[in-house]
Each structure stands twice: as C-alpha cells, then as structure tokens.
Amino acid sequence: MTRGKIARIAAGMTAAALFSLLVACGPDSSSDAGTAAPTPTPAPNMATATFGVLISDASTEDWATVGVKVLSITLIPQGGGAPVAAYTAPSPAPTVNLVQLDQLAELLANGTVPVGTYTGASVSIGANPGDVLLTAAADPEAGFAGTAGATVPASQIHIQGATGSAGSLTTSVSVNFTSPLVVTANQSSALDLEFDLSHPAFIVDRVPAGGGAPFWAVNFKAALRHHPIGALKAFLLRHLYGTVTAVASSSVTLTKDFAVYPPTKPETATPSTESLQVLADSANGTIFYDVDAKTRTVIHDFSAQISTLDGKYVRVAARYQSDGSLVAVRLWASSTFNSVWLSPEGHVLHVNANLDRFFVQDEAGAKVPIEVDANTEFFFRTPANAAADATPIGTGPGFLTSGNLVRGFKVHVSPVDPLASPLVAQTVDIETARYDGTISAATPTDFTYTRNFATASDDYTETLDFISSATANGTDANGNPITGYKWWYFTFPTLAETGANAIPDFVTAVSGGVNFGGSVGAMKAWGASYAIWADPADLSGWSAPWTVLEPTPVPLGTVASPWASGASGGYFGVTVPNGANTVSVAVNTTSGSAPLVYQVDMTSGVVTVNAVDITTSAGLNEMVAGLTVGAPVKVFGIPQPNGTIKSYVVFYYTGALPAAHHIEGPKEAPPVTTSAWGAVREGAASTRSR
C-alpha cells in the first residue's frame, strides 16, 4: 500500500512563505537546530529560482518515533552535469520524527537553485549509532516484537548501507523522479520525496532463534521515493512554532523555533535563523487564542496585537496561498514556549464516547487523555478551501458519540489550559481521517471497512459512501482532472481506475479471498482511504474519495511446494502455523509488474536486507534457490477471486532463522492486523494535501 511520507521540495515560492521546519519527534516538533543551511552559489549570470525543501511521511501503527537526520539533498540535472545542492543540514543536524508527518509536510529550508530540469535527487542520511531513533507506540499491533512505549537501544538498530568512518557514518539514497522537475524563474514548481514508514522493507525486525531482544534493520533505500506535488494552496502543513519579532497590521514576522529533542519538561525553545511572515486572513478571519489569558477572538488583522504580541511565542496553523505566502487559520500565543508546545499532536489511540474522552499518542509513546466539553470545536483541515478550513465541523461530546472520531485519525489538540490535568480540548484539528481494514459489502453506493486492533474496544465497522460523481478528485497520470471516486492497487498509483466503471470494477476486485483453513481461516481484500467531510454524498459525515487496495500480509510461514513456472512468471505454495491448507502465491516476473522481493539474512548478529530483482535471470534464480520447501517466507499480497494470492512483497530468510519476524504494513487480527501503507499517500496527495 502506498502511504507516503517524504521530503517535499517546493520551488518558486517566496522566501517569506516557506518556513524551515525540521520535523522533530513529536507532534509538531523539530529538534535542535543550528545555523541556517547555506544557500548554493550559482554560476555567474545563471538564473535562479527560490527553492524550499520539505519532508513528509506516511503512517505507522507500531511506532511513536521514527527519528532520522537528513544531512543533505542534491538535485541531478537532466543530461548530466554537477549535482546541485538543494539542502544542507545545520550543525548539529536536527532529528526528524517521521511519524508525525502523516499526510502533512514540513519545510526544511529556503534557498535558490539554478533554473533548469532535474531528473533525480541524492539524499544523505546520518547512519551513526543514535542517528536513527525508534520509540515503540503506546499500543502497537498484535505480533509487534518490541515493547510498547520503549525506546530501542542504538545497538539494536542496524542501518543498511552505512559508509564512512566511525562518527561520520552516512547512508545515501538515489531517487529517480517519476517525472522531470522543471524549475522556472518566477514560477512555482515542486518536488515530493517521501519516507514510506509502512513499506514492509523499511523497518524489519529479527528475533534471534534462541530468543532475546529483537534487532531492527532500517533500509532507507526501500522507503524513499518521489511523488509529484500538485496545487500549492492545497498543500497541508503541520503547525509551526516561532518567536514573534515584528507585528504589522496585516502580518506577523517570526523566527522559527524548534523544541529540544528528546522531549524535556518543561519544553524549551531552540531558535533558528529562519524568518517567516504570516498574514492574517482578512476575508475569513484568523482565530486568535491568547493562551495565557485563555481567550478566543476572531481577527481580520493584527492591529489590536501590535503592542502585545512582539516577543511572544506562537503556534500557527497555516495554509499556503497560490503565490506561496502563508496565511494563519488559527494562531496561539503565550509568554512561554512550554504553553504553546503543550498541545498534543499525534494519532488517535482510543475513543471513549461514554466518558467524553479520547487519547492521543505523543512522541514519547505515551497515551495523553483529552477531555471534550460542550465548547470543544472540531476542525477538518482543508487548506484548498479557506472557508471550510476555518469552520468547525462539530462541537462538543456529540461529535464522539456520533462515531466521527476513530483510532488512526491524525489530530492536533489545543487545550483550554495546557497545564491543567486532565487536558480539556478547546480545539481539535483533524488533519487526516484514515479508515482502513477488511473490505466487505461493497455496493454501487458504499462499502464497509472492518478494522480490528490489539485493543478490542478500538475496533470499528464503518460504512463509507463513495464521493459524488461530480466531486473534484485530483488529476490522473497525464494531468487531466478527475471527478468522482477512484481506486488502484498499491504498487500502481498511476493506474488508478476512474470514471463510470471505477465503482463496478472496485466491487468486483474486493470479492476475492483465500482460505488457509484451521484457526487462520479466510483472508479477504484489505484497503485504506483518507476520508473527506461533508461531500454531497454525505453532508454530515465522512465519505471515501478513493481507496488503495493494499497487500494483506500472510503470517510468517514456510514454503510448502517449490517454484513452478507459469503465466507471466510462476508460483509457489505456502502454509502458515495453525492453518490446514496450502495456498498458491502467484509471482509476476515481468519488468514493471514484478513484486518486491527481499532476502533477509542474519549472520553473526547482524541483520541485512537485500533487494532481489527477479526480472533478471540471475535474480530469479537467486529467489528460486531461496524458496526451498520448508524455508521461512513472508508474503504480502491481494487475495484473488480464484483463491490465490497475487504477491506484491516476498521476504525469504537465510542465515540464522528467525524466531519471529514483524514488518510494517497492513495486518489483520486474528491472526494478523493492519495499518495503512504508503500508497494511501498517493491518493491523499491528489485529493487534499497536494
């Protein structure tokens, strides 16, 4: 499934509009920042364009923190030539917590690059012990090998592809652009590079055969990819923090602040040199919250704040305008950084409508209880629609009792009093509304998601309407506008099915299933959708603009029958513990259609994950040699109507065999459970966040 999360680079925006935000670990955070990244020096007389670097990611059910240090990003010119520096991290390089960027983006830096056409990028990432931080979620999915809420020691994290000397280890990833990036003077252009946290080969664990703490292999080459950006005004940004340095009637100027990482109590600000200008929303109004005075005011300019706001700490929910300027939808101000920082951001863990309460997972893997009272306002972030972005979609406990908030939604909560216990929500920004699970009861008007979690009280069965056939829904691979519902298989986002046949064909596609028998039983199609609010199909609820059919993971099993050649490739049989039947796994070896195949090896306590290209004879022979009868194998695929599994990811194991194996990806309980993958990002991008 495609869930994306990665680096976004927006070119041609005004410098005042682009904010430098090195995503840190927690809800809206970035860690310590140093001096601003240097601006590349172009050749004399060479035209340049303003260039901003952003980073984003996709969701994961099992981690509260996946912290990385992006050291540099260079662009590869079309036709050759010297790489062009787009971003260089300050020293020390900040830690970016990718978990908090579910369908959101944070800008790393502003700068300029020569105009021209670029076809790829090279990304350098810190690979020293401690450069990658992993903290388990407060309530991970069934089968997760780690300990809930615990931070993984650096000695148990193996960063793949590390080179260099001790203390200066890095890993480099080359990314080929889906389509060339054309940077033109005085025009906006953009590049999206994304870390797909839920890619099955990104974070792979191996529990030693004799037991003990798991080792985690982190493979950036598997997770980093390019995804084009659409309209800038639809770009969904995380809240930004800063210190106000100037106040005018129409705008405030602030210096971007970062929180210390790991989190401290109380939180303290680390200032950067990145200066941002944020405009008031003169048309729709900016909601201004004085956190210290506990007041709420709708303002159309900052004239009343000129004498009081300078020097204050602020948090801003901002949106881009088409010209790249930033407009404040909501703005919080306080004399202390801790007060604006203590605003829980993260994914919803539990909802207890009977007690008017829900829980948000913070960056430390803790469950933060949030109370809802009659004055709590719920917003759904829709930056492309200024009026909707500023208008609550619900108020009070009734929003919970109506089932409009479920586990997996990405939210940013603003409490009435950030120091109170318990926290009472003044506002709840719903940034993404993710539904996923087993798909059933598909009809021409709607379909049903059934989702099971490790905590059974979080389970839901939700019927979503397809959006109206007249609703704008992004563009196709050729840039043509789309209306109405669309869907695709996770590895083929450019082949989304649209138009009159989209819904009938979707109904047919989700009718498949395979049966392992025993206590494992049947496995059906799994999907994920990021819903939108108040579509004409459901004016007072959530509707599905698109669905990605995601590979359902088969439990760790063994090869039951060896490789046999067949149409477009071949197949092998697999059995799983507690299952009675052998299920056939189809493997397409055609270039462009082949599944992702990985050899996972553990030798002398070191885990390595190697990609195998089965579209070549050498790669195919290597995989076939590993798929001997009795060999451990992990398969992700989509159940087909004929009872087989169409494979999309295959892991096979060598060296010391695993006692257990857990990877990110869709899972279902029992016996496995799922979280949405990177492909969902592709759809969200085209409908909301691009």
Side-chain angles (χ1 to χ4, degrees):
M1 317 174 206
T2 65
R3 307 187 255 232
K5 306 147 191 151
I6 216 153
R8 306 178 181 190
I9 305 173
M13 308 176 194
T14 62
L18 299 176
F19 60 91
S20 174
L21 193 89
L22 273 166
V23 177
C25 254
D28 227 330
S29 83
S30 286
S31 84
D32 53 346
T35 58
T39 299
T41 302
N45 303 319
M46 180 177 290
T48 63
T50 303
F51 205 80
V53 181
L54 303 94
I55 191 168
S56 65
D57 69 25
S59 64
T60 174
E61 190 74 31
D62 293 327
W63 299 103
T65 294
V66 177
V68 304
K69 293 183 177 180
V70 178
L71 304 179
S72 67
I73 299 175
T74 57
L75 304 177
I76 309 303
Q78 186 178 54
V84 173
Y87 168 71
T88 302
S91 180
T95 296
V96 176
N97 180 17
L98 301 176
V99 174
Q100 296 297 350
L101 293 182
D102 185 4
Q103 310 298 311
L104 311 180
E106 296 216 37
L107 185 63
L108 293 180
N110 296 327
T112 59
V113 299
V115 299
T117 301
Y118 301 94
T119 57
S122 178
V123 182
S124 178
I125 302 168
N128 299 294
D131 282 353
V132 173
L133 306 177
L134 298 176
T135 298
D139 187 23
E141 295 185 280
F144 180 65
T147 301
T151 297
V152 178
S155 61
Q156 293 169 218
I157 300 174
H158 298 167
I159 303 172
Q160 306 296 287
T163 60
S165 57
S168 301
L169 294 172
T170 63
T171 183
S172 296
V173 181
S174 295
V175 180
N176 293 322
F177 297 164
T178 302
S179 57
L181 169 65
V182 180
V183 178
T184 305
N186 302 318
Q187 292 187 14
S188 296
S189 57
L191 169 69
D192 180 7
L193 301 176
E194 170 178 286
F195 291 95
D196 184 0
L197 297 190
S198 295
H199 190 290
F202 181 25
I203 302 176
V204 178
D205 84 88
R206 285 287 296 265
V207 177
F215 291 87
W216 302 88
V218 180
N219 180 14
F220 289 105
K221 292 183 179 180
L224 198 57
R225 66 186 182 184
H226 168 230
H227 184 279
I229 294 176
L232 183 61
K233 67 180 182 179
F235 208 71
L236 184 59
L237 301 172
R238 292 180 67 199
H239 291 192
L240 61 94
Y241 298 83
T243 302
V244 176
T245 57
V247 185
S249 176
S250 61
S251 66
V252 296
T253 302
L254 57 93
T255 299
K256 182 71 186 71
D257 288 331
F258 303 97
V260 174
Y261 187 85
T264 60
K265 292 185 178 181
E267 277 289 356
T268 55
T270 299
S272 73
T273 58
E274 190 70 32
S275 182
L276 310 172
Q277 184 183 55
V278 181
L279 304 174
D281 190 334
S282 59
N284 302 286
T286 294
I287 304 177
F288 176 77
Y289 301 92
D290 186 323
V291 178
D292 298 334
K294 300 180 178 61
T295 59
R296 174 191 185 277
T297 309
V298 177
I299 62 176
H300 292 82
D301 58 52
F302 293 107
S303 57
Q305 287 73 39
I306 289 178
S307 62
T308 60
L309 196 55
D310 194 16
K312 292 287 185 69
Y313 295 100
V314 294
R315 175 167 60 92
V316 186
R319 71 172 188 274
Y320 276 125
Q321 296 190 105
S322 296
D323 64 359
S325 58
L326 288 171
V327 172
V329 181
R330 286 174 286 284
L331 185 149
W332 295 260
S334 174
S335 58
T336 64
F337 181 73
N338 191 62
S339 293
V340 294
W341 177 257
L342 291 180
S343 49
E345 179 198 19
H347 291 87
V348 173
L349 273 179
H350 314 301
V351 178
N352 190 328
N354 294 328
L355 297 178
D356 302 337
R357 177 184 303 161
F358 66 95
F359 292 79
V360 175
Q361 176 178 271
D362 68 10
E363 72 273 16
K367 305 175 185 179
V368 181
I370 305 295
E371 305 290 327
V372 174
D373 67 12
N375 298 315
T376 300
E377 294 181 315
F378 293 85
F379 295 85
F380 180 55
R381 294 302 315 276
T382 52
N385 185 328
D389 206 22
T391 304
I393 63 172
T395 304
F399 194 81
L400 301 185
T401 57
S402 297
N404 291 320
L405 190 74
V406 302
R407 178 165 176 167
F409 279 26
K410 175 68 168 52
V411 299
H412 200 141
V413 179
S414 298
V416 175
D417 181 352
L419 301 180
S421 182
L423 294 175
V424 178
Q426 184 175 44
T427 64
V428 179
D429 274 6
I430 300 174
E431 294 169 322
T432 58
R434 188 182 80 239
Y435 287 95
D436 59 9
T438 298
I439 297 174
S440 63
T443 74
T445 59
D446 56 38
F447 66 98
T448 298
Y449 276 126
T450 300
R451 183 65 159 94
N452 297 315
F453 294 93
T455 300
S457 59
D458 298 331
D459 297 352
Y460 61 76
T461 297
E462 180 70 23
T463 297
L464 294 179
D465 291 317
F466 300 111
I467 60 170
S468 166
S469 60
T471 298
N473 198 10
T475 59
D476 63 19
N478 297 317
N480 301 311
I482 295 171
T483 59
Y485 177 78
K486 61 185 177 184
W487 68 277
W488 65 94
Y489 291 106
F490 91 104
T491 50
F492 302 105
T494 60
L495 301 180
E497 180 153 5
T498 64
N501 292 327
I503 292 176
D505 288 349
F506 174 79
V507 173
T508 300
V510 299
S511 65
V514 297
N515 189 1
F516 281 96
S519 61
V520 177
M523 299 178 68
K524 294 183 65 63
W526 183 281
S529 303
Y530 280 78
I532 60 175
W533 183 265
D535 184 79
D538 186 352
L539 293 174
S540 60
W542 302 105
S543 300
W546 51 264
T547 302
V548 54
L549 292 186
E550 306 174 349
T552 301
V554 175
L556 180 65
T558 57
V559 176
S561 57
W563 175 264
S565 297
S568 301
Y571 54 91
F572 65 94
V574 63
T575 57
V576 300
N578 303 314
N581 303 328
T582 296
V583 171
S584 182
V585 177
V587 180
N588 193 324
T589 60
T590 304
S591 180
S593 300
L596 304 172
V597 177
Y598 296 94
Q599 176 199 32
V600 183
D601 180 82
M602 187 171 186
T603 302
S604 301
V606 176
V607 179
T608 57
V609 180
N610 297 312
V612 180
D613 183 2
I614 63 170
T615 65
T616 67
S617 57
L620 178 60
N621 291 336
E622 183 178 348
M623 180 193 71
V624 171
L627 294 177
T628 58
V629 173
V633 64
K634 178 79 173 180
V635 175
F636 288 75
I638 295 181
Q640 300 296 294
N642 63 3
T644 65
I645 295 176
K646 183 179 181 180
S647 65
Y648 283 89
V649 182
V650 177
F651 290 89
Y652 65 91
Y653 299 86
T654 58
L657 299 182
H661 172 70
H662 177 83
I663 52 80
E664 294 306 316
K667 301 165 251 276
E668 171 130 67
V672 283
T673 52
T674 187
S675 58
W677 280 15
V680 284
R681 173 123 178 131
E682 305 287 347
S686 58
T687 56
R688 295 190 54 239
S689 55
R690 299 287 190 270

